[in-house]
Amino acid sequence: MSAPVIVGYTATKPGRDALAFGARLAAASAAPLHVAIILPSEGRSVITPPDASYDRHLRAQAGEWLDAAEALLPEGTPVTRQIRAAESFAEGLIDLADEIGASHIVVGAADGGARGRHRLGSTTTELLHSSDVPVVLVPRGTRKLAADAPLGRLTVAIGTRPGADALIEETVALADATGASVRLLSLLPVDLPATADTAAIRTAGSTAASDVLAAARAELPDRLGAEVVVAEGDSIEDAVRGLDWQPGEVLLVGSSRLARPRRLFLGSTAAKMLHEVPVPMIVVPRTRTQEGEQR
Amino acid sequence: MSAPEAAPLAPTAEPTGGLSNKGLSAGTVGLLGAVVIGISCIAPAYTFTAAVGPTASVVGAQVPAIILIGFIPMLLVAFGYRELNNRMPDAGTSFTWAARAFGPWVGWMAGWGLVVATILVLSNLAGVAVDFLFLLISQITGNPDIANLATNTFINIAVCLLFMLGATYISYRDMQTTQKLQYVLVTFQVAVLLIFAVAAIVQAVSGNGFDYTPFDFNWFNPFAVPSFSAFAAGLSLSIFIFWGWDVTLTMNEETKDPERTPGRAATVTVLTIVSLYLLLAVAMIMFAGVGTGELGLGNEDIQANVFFFLSDPVLGPLAFLVSLAVLTSSASSLQSTFVGPARTLLAMGHYGALPPAYAKVSPRFFTPGYATIVSAIVASAFYAVMRVVSENTLWDTILTLGMMICFYYGITAFACVWYFRKQWFDSTRNVFFTFLFPLIGGVILLVLFVTTLIDSMDPAYGSGAEVGGVGIVFILGMAIIVIGVIVMIWQAIRRPAFFRGETLAMDAPPSRRRKG
């Protein structure tokens, strides 16, 4: 995989988390790294008078922030700097991704998140609802990991219903590019109503999950040697909590079935997982853009 | 910012303290957008309610004349402002220009004047907003007691601080409404003022006015103003009502058609504003007179907030529209007003005239975060202290504000004249725009400043509040300038690089004639 990785950078701790993981992802998949600062465009000023000289000052300041960001990366990391103005952070990143044909957009958690936890801010949510390339959410504290740590394992959350082709494709591509091992994960049973015949549902759910897992595994090339995990618990949070995570691990989830084709939309399951998962999470659009198709 | 003492605001320029002239992408603001920004920066509903009373009390019925005359120095200075902005676009505006023309000390004081003036208006805006919030609630609920809550010092200060907190939060995060909403708000504001004026005239003519005063063309005659002192005081107030108008003239690079849009936008804006003000002034005088009776414009108790007292008698059940217009006008003006001091403080921090913390830009919201918060704290503290010290805070603040605007606008005008001294006679255009216009504008402002300063020593000036037999407006004005000098000297000891001219060098562009 050689499509570039974009880091949506801000000169904050979450921004440095995103930078650290983006650099590791780019290095592991031998992809070019673009570090982008998205400034507000002057066209959005309708109350405050626009001021070109202040915008110039911001650009200069963004340049200094990027200098400092580059200094955080291991010596000699090739970086393409991007400073652009856009209506919103999400819009700027998505436009940039379209322009350079990026494979991933990497962003940090919102402010106020606990160490090692995800937290969605309004800008990240907007990105998750409108991006057509996979978005990587990076939890707080990721920057503390060694810069040359490899991507150890890819955990793929497979739902109980089919329709995860794009997710499997993404997993294969990423595993091939980085040499990481693969773990298929199914979460169940979930939110059992108190009145239901628990045992029956458990069995039914189990069977359905096994079928989907088996199908997913069949799609993966044998060379990846994927392991399979079924996490059980009273709730999704509970099920996820029981899992073990390696330091260099990455979680892949598919976009919700509610999403428009080729757009992201974080489903409720994925949103719940986000609360418990201490590793970066890649959200993959439901149907990937076909190879060679004009984006 | 790693080395604020050495880095010019636009680091692409040479390190000798020069400024970059490199433009950004093409502008995005159209004519309508520029006019809307201009009108919402002036906030006519707010400015008029705050300024018409004090103006009427000094010049009597000649308010319309003063409004017309007050525009002249504003226009002349704005021309100079535009020349400087074209030559040295910089977020520090008056501070940077004055430092380039007259050196660091004068530049520092110009920046101080701008910051203090905008901080004063911030506190005044929030104060007016508080009054109208309570009035609006009382009009909607039909309970007149609620409006009186605004006179309770404690409640007033508490609500005002809440307003300030909200405005700071919005400014810090740079939250903008949609363009559509802003158009609606501005249209609403202008429409309500028109309705108010027409209703007042109709009421007055049909005999329902408080003190019906038949229209007289003499109201437009500036020579009918009783004394030069009154004339000067009125003028410095009417400069305040046009304050903010200059943004339309200086929006060059940002507009779609930089050759024509700023000029047209400025013209449309000022014609709208002047006709609105004149109509309102005439309507109010016809309805309420300039006497000191219950609703007269000369009544000290209603002067600082005339719409507050006149909207009910004039519009009856529709009076809440006026409250709503003034509230929205002050609220959106709070945000655009915050930009001024924050950016100037940022520039001062950047060039090393203030601690480097002021130069911090929020990495998430891209606003001058530290400077914004400091401005808010100072404005809040100022309002709270004034509310306790003075019986009529808003009034005294407006008078002091007029004085401070004269101070820093005057310095800016002279900075333009002096900076372009080698280019005055390059062309006929230059003779007017870099020499005559700003010079005359600057001299007028200087005269106004000195006259107001001397007159304000009289304890009867303004609301009549005094400290040790000297008027509070004089005390405020002098205190502001003296504190400015003290802080400047302190900064000069702590941060000598700026004051030696190492970060922002004096300059005068050479004449272009010989090259031709």
Side-chain angles (χ1 to χ4, degrees):
Chain A
M1 195 196 318
S2 56
V5 170
I6 298 175
V7 173
Y9 187 69
T10 53
T12 56
K13 282 177 186 171
R16 293 200 285 278
D17 290 328
L19 179 70
F21 181 76
R24 278 169 49 214
L25 179 65
S29 53
L33 178 65
H34 289 246
V35 180
I37 289 187
I38 309 294
L39 299 173
S41 63
E42 49 185 65
R44 67 185 284 280
S45 287
V46 292
I47 297 179
T48 48
D51 180 353
S53 50
Y54 184 70
D55 290 339
R56 257 189 296 271
H57 178 63
L58 275 187
R59 293 217 160 210
Q61 172 70 70
E64 287 174 27
W65 282 331
L66 286 179
D67 290 342
E70 270 187 69
L72 294 171
L73 295 172
E75 196 107 354
T77 313
V79 170
T80 309
R81 302 155 60 114
Q82 304 274 2
I83 300 176
R84 52 173 63 201
E87 289 284 311
S88 72
F89 186 67
E91 192 187 291
L93 288 176
I94 293 167
D95 286 351
L96 177 62
D98 283 352
E99 236 168 74
I100 63 174
S103 65
H104 295 88
I105 297 174
V106 185
V107 292
D111 273 352
R115 172 92 198 275
R117 286 284 174 261
H118 287 279
R119 190 162 188 268
L120 288 183
S122 53
T123 47
T124 325
T125 310
E126 190 191 343
L127 188 62
L128 277 176
H129 285 179
S130 50
S131 176
D132 52 0
V133 291
V135 169
V136 188
L137 306 172
V138 180
R140 288 300 290 269
T142 304
R143 64 184 185 282
K144 306 267 164 63
L145 216 63
D148 54 353
L151 297 187
R153 184 165 67 176
L154 309 175
T155 292
V156 190
I158 304 285
T160 49
R161 273 167 286 180
D165 298 352
L167 185 58
I168 300 291
E169 269 173 43
E170 163 78 15
T171 311
V172 173
L174 199 57
D176 280 345
T178 61
S181 64
V182 175
R183 175 167 74 154
L184 292 176
L185 165 70
S186 193
L187 298 170
L188 59 61
V190 177
D191 292 337
L192 286 179
T195 54
D197 181 351
T198 309
I201 290 177
R202 223 169 246 271
T203 319
S206 243
T207 319
S210 314
D211 290 351
V212 175
L213 274 178
R217 191 171 189 181
E219 274 185 54
L220 285 174
D222 287 342
R223 65 192 140 87
L224 295 179
E227 63 175 299
V228 172
V229 176
V230 177
E232 291 193 25
D234 292 336
S235 62
I236 289 174
E237 286 89 339
D238 191 40
V240 174
R241 227 172 278 141
L243 289 168
D244 70 296
W245 300 100
Q246 296 176 356
E249 183 144 9
V250 180
L251 173 70
L252 287 93
V253 299
S255 181
S256 163
R257 273 174 292 273
L258 292 173
R260 285 182 294 139
R262 276 189 276 134
R263 287 284 184 279
L264 287 180
F265 190 92
L266 199 62
S268 62
T269 310
K272 284 173 188 161
M273 290 176 74
L274 200 62
H275 290 143
E276 299 297 332
V277 171
V279 300
M281 177 158 146
I282 305 182
V283 188
V284 184
R286 194 154 58 102
T287 32
R288 288 299 299 278
T289 313
Q290 291 303 305
E291 204 70 33
E293 186 186 322
Q294 206 62 37
R295 287 198 214 215
Chain B
M1 203 147 306
S2 47
E5 286 81 17
L9 204 44
T12 41
E14 61 272 34
T16 50
L19 294 144
S20 164
N21 268 325
K22 289 191 185 89
L24 287 175
S25 52
T28 49
V29 182
L31 178 63
L32 190 60
V35 171
V36 165
I37 290 177
I39 295 182
S40 77
C41 280
I42 300 175
Y46 151 70
T47 4
F48 204 75
T49 191
V52 71
T55 312
S57 82
V58 287
V59 300
Q62 269 66 43
V63 178
I66 284 294
I67 290 174
L68 283 174
I69 300 282
F71 182 64
I72 294 172
M74 191 70 196
L75 178 72
L76 295 177
V77 175
F79 282 136
Y81 205 91
R82 186 179 61 175
E83 293 304 309
L84 288 166
N85 193 53
N86 288 349
R87 182 80 179 94
M88 301 184 277
D90 190 276
T93 60
S94 294
F95 158 72
T96 313
W97 300 332
R100 298 278 274 171
F102 294 124
W105 301 92
V106 178
W108 205 97
M109 284 312 289
W112 175 259
L114 185 155
V115 169
V116 172
T118 34
I119 282 178
L120 286 178
V121 83
L122 275 176
S123 77
N124 189 272
L125 265 168
V128 169
V130 171
D131 283 358
F132 277 94
L133 177 71
F134 284 111
L135 181 63
L136 182 65
I137 297 174
S138 92
Q139 282 164 341
I140 289 173
T141 58
N143 179 356
D145 292 341
I146 295 178
N148 292 332
L149 284 178
T151 54
N152 177 318
T153 307
F154 177 74
I155 294 180
N156 190 298
I157 292 178
V159 176
C160 183
L161 295 191
L162 282 179
F163 258 114
M164 210 57 125
L165 195 67
T168 314
Y169 180 79
I170 288 171
S171 302
Y172 182 78
R173 301 194 55 141
D174 190 26
M175 292 157 87
Q176 303 271 348
T177 58
T178 62
Q179 198 165 37
K180 243 184 214 162
L181 178 64
Q182 193 60 18
Y183 284 12
V184 170
L185 288 179
V186 166
T187 314
F188 173 73
Q189 193 185 147
V190 173
V192 168
L193 292 181
L194 282 177
I195 293 171
F196 177 88
V198 172
I201 293 174
V202 171
Q203 294 258 34
V205 173
S206 58
N208 297 328
F210 166 75
D211 174 18
Y212 174 52
T213 316
F215 177 76
D216 186 345
F217 273 106
N218 204 29
W219 294 352
F220 289 89
N221 176 11
F223 299 105
V225 176
S227 71
F228 184 73
S229 290
F231 191 71
L235 269 190
S236 79
L237 285 166
S238 68
I239 285 167
F240 160 70
I241 65 178
F242 291 110
W243 194 34
W245 166 78
D246 44 351
V247 296
T248 45
L249 206 57
T250 52
M251 274 193 273
N252 274 339
E253 298 172 53
E254 298 86 351
T255 49
K256 279 176 189 148
D257 181 1
E259 292 290 315
R260 269 174 282 172
T261 309
R264 285 183 180 175
T267 313
V268 174
T269 309
V270 83
L271 286 181
T272 313
I273 294 288
V274 167
S275 20
L276 200 58
Y277 282 165
L278 290 180
L279 184 66
L280 278 169
V282 168
M284 280 190 175
I285 297 174
M286 282 177 74
F287 181 87
V290 292
T292 51
E294 189 194 353
L295 293 179
L297 296 183
N299 179 354
E300 299 193 353
D301 295 330
I302 78 162
Q303 270 186 355
N305 204 342
V306 173
F307 280 139
F308 184 88
F309 297 93
L310 287 186
S311 61
D312 269 325
V314 169
L315 284 175
L318 288 179
F320 76 93
L321 287 178
V322 175
S323 313
L324 203 58
V326 181
L327 247 188
T328 52
S329 143
S330 357
S332 55
S333 184
L334 261 178
Q335 192 177 348
S336 55
T337 309
F338 251 118
V339 171
R343 287 185 181 169
T344 300
L345 285 171
L346 174 110
M348 291 177 83
H350 184 90
Y351 288 115
L354 281 174
Y358 286 91
K360 272 189 199 152
V361 175
S362 156
R364 289 184 61 214
F365 307 113
F366 308 107
T367 52
Y370 187 84
T372 304
I373 292 169
V374 171
S375 313
I377 293 173
V378 175
S380 308
F382 177 82
Y383 182 82
V385 171
M386 278 300 286
R387 195 84 218 181
V388 175
V389 171
S390 163
E391 311 135 43
N392 203 329
T393 327
L394 296 175
W395 188 6
D396 290 332
T397 316
I398 286 293
L399 287 168
T400 317
L401 179 63
M403 205 152 85
M404 290 320 294
I405 297 178
C406 289
F407 177 75
Y408 90 85
Y409 258 50
I411 294 183
T412 312
F414 289 127
C416 175
V417 175
W418 190 240
Y419 183 77
F420 290 108
R421 60 189 179 275
K422 293 177 185 162
Q423 295 188 341
W424 284 344
F425 304 110
D426 277 14
S427 65
T428 320
R429 188 192 167 284
N430 275 17
V431 172
F432 285 100
F433 285 89
T434 65
F435 178 55
L436 282 179
F437 289 164
L439 183 66
I440 297 168
V443 168
I444 296 176
L445 293 182
L446 180 70
V447 171
L448 289 182
F449 177 73
V450 173
T451 314
T452 320
L453 202 60
I454 294 170
D455 290 343
S456 63
M457 288 172 79
D458 182 353
Y461 194 84
S463 72
E466 55 173 298
V467 177
V470 182
I472 187 117
V473 175
F474 178 82
I475 304 257
L476 273 177
M478 284 318 283
I480 287 167
I481 291 170
V482 170
I483 292 172
V485 172
I486 293 170
V487 177
M488 175 167 69
I489 292 170
W490 175 40
Q491 292 300 318
I493 296 166
R494 295 282 311 279
R495 264 166 277 280
F498 168 76
F499 293 91
R500 285 194 220 111
E502 288 167 18
T503 58
L504 204 53
M506 278 170 74
D507 186 24
S511 168
R512 294 200 189 116
R513 272 183 305 175
R514 275 165 219 152
K515 283 182 194 165

